[in-house]
Structures are given as C-alpha cells and as structure tokens.
Amino acid sequence: MTARAPKKRSPSDQRQREPRVRRPVRTAPGKIEPLYPRQKKTVRRGLFLRLYRLFTAVPCVGREQWKQNRRRMDSYIFWVTVILVLFGLAMVYSTTSFVGDDPLAGVKKQAFFALLGLFAMLFLSRLDYHRLLCLSWCQLYFLSFVLLVVTQFKGRSSHGKMRWIKLGPLSFQPSELMKTALVLFFAVYLVNHFYRLSKNPRRIFWTMAFFGGIPALLVAHQNLSTGLLLGAMVFLITFLGVRDNRTHLALAAFMLVTAYLVMHYYKKIPFLHTYQIARIESWLHPEANANGSGFQVRLGKYAISAGGWFGAGFGRGIVKQNGLPEPSTDFIFPVIGEELGMVGMGVLILLYFMLLLCIWRIAFRAPDRYGALICGGVAIHILLHIAMHVAVVTGMMPNTGVTLPFISSGGTSLLSFMGEIGLVLAVSRGVRPEKLA
C-alpha cells in the first residue's frame, strides 16, 4: 500500500488560511511598517542617541515618495474654515466698531492674524505630517512648557493675571501654543508606546498626570478655565489612543464625585480665589446674584432671548453697548444671538457640525494611526471650546473665559486653530480616493 502524497495547497487556499495581522502602513518602496511600531531596544545610550530618537520617532517616506502619494486636500474642511473666519471677522467688527476713535481698529488686527493663519494653514497642508511630527512633537511641547514657566514670572498682566508674553508690539498666550503641542505630543507618544501601555494600563494615568497634569496646573494657577480645558483635552485624547479604558472610566467617576463635592463645599476650598467662589455661587443661585457676579451671564441670556428668530440686524445690538463685558471674546455668542437671531446661531452651529464631521471622517480614513490621532485631537480641541463657550453664556456652567473658535477676537487663538486645521488638511492628502468612497 503506497503512502498518500501530501496535497498541495493552491495560492488561494493559502491566502484564506493566513492569520489576520495588524493593518500595515507602507512607508517606503519595499518596506512596510506596522500600525503600532515597536520600540527598538539598543545597548548604547547617550545624549546624542536620545536626541536622535526625538527626531526619528515617526517613520517617514522619502520626499519623492510623499509627492507621489500625495492627493488633494479636503476642500470641504478648507472652505468651511474660511467661511467661519470671515463670519468671525464680521462679528469682531460688529462688537468693536463702537469702541475708540477708529471703528476698524479691532477688525484690522483680527484680519492681520487671519491672513497669517491662512498662510500657515496652506503651508502646513503641503507638508508631510510625519516629518512635521518628528520636528515638533516633543520639541514644541517642551518649548511651550518653558514659555508657561516664563509667563509665571515675567509675563504681561491682563485682568490681574499673568497670561501673556510680549514680543515687541505683539503679545501671545503660551497656553494656546500648549494646546496644539499636546495634540502633537500625544499623537506620537500613544502610538509609539501602544504595546507598553497595553501591558500595563495603569501607566496611562501617570502619563496623563506627568505630561498633561503639570502644564494644566501651571496654567490653572493663572487661568483656571484654561487649565481645566487642558486637562479635559488630555483625558479625551488618551481615551482615543489606548486599548484599555478602565483607567479613564475610574478617573471619570472620581471627577464626578469631585465635582459634586466642589458644588456643595466650594466655600471651604482653600485654593479658590474670591472671584471664583463668587462665580460658582452666581451659577448655583443666579437670582440671588443677578446684579453682582451673575450680571454678565444675565445680560448674555437677555441678548439671546431678545434676538428672537431673525435678530435685530447686523450691528444693531444694544446689549453689547450697555455693559456686556468682553463682547468680542468671551461673550460673542450672545451678540450673534441678538443681532442674527436663532437662525444666525443655528447656521453657526451647523457650520461647526460640518467641520467636526469632516475632521472625524478624515480621522477614520487616515493612512496611519498618527494621522488619526492628530485629527481626533484637533476635533476634541475645537469641540471643547465650543461646548464650554456656549455652556457659559447660557448659564449651564460657571462663568469662565473661553473663546469661540474662529469667531472670537484673539490672534493667538485664531492662529492656533487655523494651524491645527492645516495639520488636518495635511493628513487628508494621504487618504486614498477609495477610502473616501
């Protein structure tokens, strides 16, 4: 009896029996990098090697290969951003034209930063975001951290707080630069250390506390609302970037308990300032403090309700001229409600919804995990600003100073948001046409 010869498998059977592996990312001709690259262990250690790793943290393709693979940027994101910026310039003119001798002074300054932001957005959109991450992910973070420390001692005072650094005739807020730096830093860190964080999920807590908590505390010392926003950004970005979210769920439960205790015992918290206690009290008891610390929120609500469906007309608002503090920055949304009505506010919210939807669409179809986390971080940054601004002016949270993205007056904030949109457009250039279908 002869032995049966082994049956040869056809190539189609071999392909069917191959185990599923992580989706690879082609980084160069003939070379494939995994979705989550493993960190190589080397014996040599030194300052030069550590600096070399900072600038080679993200695998990059050659310049010719990037030009060959580059597609057109997402035009929807670009034009929605341009419309929002133009809408913001119109509202800045409406809220600043009655102040001072020159009615165009405020909008001229904002238009200058809008033009710089447009150039930055177009320039960043044409770069390979992998090389940009290599040059800025950790470097920009440490630069922002140093500027935050310098601001604590040699910053320019505004409203009694040291929040600005003056460079000649211009001033900027390092906290805005730190928001963008956190997006880039965690986009690289969470991918390169994915396996290490998966083996020990509790490590993500110390990562958030060290790289996100320390800058948030530095900012919160001068601006509590921005410090809380930085903490929320770090929490949500890391929530997207790790496999095991049990640490985040436990931390969220702890924050809910802490918020409950703060609401009931805020007068006994030693590190809260007097004006912060007054804002919490006016939020919890708006009727009792309507003419005191709750005056600003009360005027904002009145402006929104007075606008009706179609508003009083562009530039014809009354509340902004009769005591509404910061109508061009922190309380610009009530001015939109009074002058353009519910229809104007609805159109603005619809534009924001379209922008965020397009960014999430690029994030889900990004060519690699680095691009996905960049888009996710930018979307989280914009969404938190919108939610906190609208919540403050409608009385859903205590009064804090948070700008409305692309609308509020402020050069640093506008440059930061438009630069982040440029990064999203750079990621969109790497999306294949078949993935957009």
Side-chain angles (χ1 to χ4, degrees), residues 2-244:
T2 59
R4 183 178 296 179
K7 184 179 179 181
K8 294 184 178 181
R9 297 177 181 175
S10 63
S12 60
D13 294 337
Q14 292 180 2
R15 286 195 297 268
Q16 293 176 359
R17 293 176 179 270
E18 286 180 355
R20 293 184 178 182
V21 295
R22 296 182 301 277
R23 178 169 59 89
V25 178
R26 188 173 296 278
T27 60
K31 182 180 179 182
I32 294 180
E33 293 288 345
L35 184 61
Y36 295 101
R38 293 184 180 274
Q39 299 297 301
K40 298 179 181 180
K41 296 182 179 180
T42 56
V43 179
R44 293 178 58 191
R45 291 186 179 181
L47 179 60
F48 177 77
L49 182 59
R50 293 180 183 273
L51 291 176
Y52 177 76
R53 285 182 179 178
L54 289 180
F55 292 93
T56 57
V58 180
C60 303
V61 300
R63 182 173 300 177
E64 297 299 328
Q65 183 72 15
W66 166 250
K67 291 182 179 180
Q68 182 180 354
N69 296 337
R70 187 173 61 185
R71 307 297 179 188
R72 291 184 178 180
M73 66 181 181
D74 192 291
S75 59
Y76 292 103
I77 295 178
F78 175 78
W79 287 114
V80 170
T81 304
V82 171
I83 292 172
L84 283 171
V85 172
L86 293 177
F87 189 95
L89 290 176
M91 296 312 303
V92 169
Y93 170 75
S94 175
T95 54
T96 58
S97 58
F98 59 92
V99 179
D101 298 330
D102 186 5
L104 297 177
V107 72
K108 284 180 181 178
K109 183 178 179 181
Q110 188 72 359
F112 171 74
F113 286 105
L115 192 60
L116 287 181
L118 180 63
F119 282 118
M121 184 171 63
L122 293 175
F123 175 74
L124 293 175
S125 68
R126 299 188 62 85
L127 298 180
D128 182 1
Y129 65 92
H130 301 92
R131 295 188 179 276
L132 188 63
L133 286 175
C134 288
L135 294 174
S136 63
W137 73 282
C138 196
Q139 298 84 335
L140 184 63
Y141 175 85
F142 283 109
L143 174 63
S144 305
F145 185 83
V146 170
L147 291 177
L148 286 178
V149 175
V150 172
T151 307
Q152 303 295 318
F153 302 98
K154 295 186 178 181
R156 185 174 68 86
S157 178
S158 175
H159 297 83
K161 298 295 181 181
M162 308 284 282
R163 304 175 183 177
W164 301 78
I165 289 182
K166 190 171 183 180
L167 293 177
L170 301 178
S171 300
F172 73 98
Q173 283 184 293
S175 59
E176 298 294 337
L177 186 64
M178 175 56 75
K179 296 173 187 176
T180 304
L182 287 174
V183 172
L184 298 179
F185 177 83
F186 280 104
V188 177
Y189 187 90
L190 293 176
V191 176
N192 290 356
H193 297 271
F194 179 80
Y195 295 108
R196 185 182 299 178
L197 296 173
S198 299
K199 291 179 181 179
N200 187 4
R202 297 180 180 178
R203 188 188 294 268
I204 191 61
F205 172 78
W206 300 110
T207 301
M208 289 190 293
F210 184 78
F211 293 109
I214 295 178
L217 288 176
L218 278 176
V219 175
H221 178 66
Q222 300 291 344
N223 190 353
L224 181 60
S225 60
T226 305
L228 293 176
L229 193 145
L230 286 176
M233 280 184 60
V234 172
F235 177 85
L236 293 175
I237 293 173
T238 53
F239 182 84
L240 293 178
V242 299
R243 177 185 295 175
D244 193 339

Side-chain angles (χ1 to χ4, degrees), residues 252-264:
F254 173 76
M255 288 189 293
L256 288 176
V257 174
T258 303
Y260 176 82
L261 295 176
V262 169
M263 289 172 57
H264 288 78

Side-chain angles (χ1 to χ4, degrees), residues 256-273 276-278 280-281 283-285:
L256 288 176
V257 174
T258 303
Y260 176 82
L261 295 176
V262 169
M263 289 172 57
H264 288 78
Y265 303 101
Y266 59 92
K267 293 184 179 180
K268 299 181 181 180
I269 299 178
F271 58 83
L272 286 180
H273 299 284
Q276 294 171 341
I277 295 176
I280 297 176
E281 189 170 358
W283 173 60
L284 295 175
H285 310 286

Side-chain angles (χ1 to χ4, degrees), residues 250-371:
L251 189 58
F254 173 76
M255 288 189 293
L256 288 176
V257 174
T258 303
Y260 176 82
L261 295 176
V262 169
M263 289 172 57
H264 288 78
Y265 303 101
Y266 59 92
K267 293 184 179 180
K268 299 181 181 180
I269 299 178
F271 58 83
L272 286 180
H273 299 284
T274 306
Y275 75 93
Q276 294 171 341
I277 295 176
R279 288 180 177 181
I280 297 176
E281 189 170 358
S282 63
W283 173 60
L284 295 175
H285 310 286
E287 296 82 7
N289 299 276
N291 295 322
S293 56
F295 177 72
Q296 189 174 9
V297 177
R298 183 173 67 87
L299 279 181
K301 290 181 179 179
Y302 173 77
I304 294 176
S305 62
W309 282 101
F310 300 100
F314 178 74
R316 297 181 179 179
I318 299 175
V319 177
K320 64 184 180 183
Q321 304 181 34
N322 294 330
L324 179 65
E326 307 295 340
S328 64
T329 53
D330 301 341
F331 272 72
I332 198 170
F333 193 72
V335 179
I336 297 173
E338 184 187 14
E339 297 185 354
L340 304 180
M342 295 291 293
V343 174
M345 292 189 296
V347 170
L348 179 60
I349 293 175
L350 180 61
L351 288 173
Y352 279 133
F353 177 77
M354 292 174 58
L355 179 64
L356 293 174
L357 185 64
C358 292
I359 293 176
W360 280 113
R361 179 170 172 264
I362 298 299
F364 282 112
R365 293 166 172 81
D368 52 26
R369 192 67 174 173
Y370 298 106

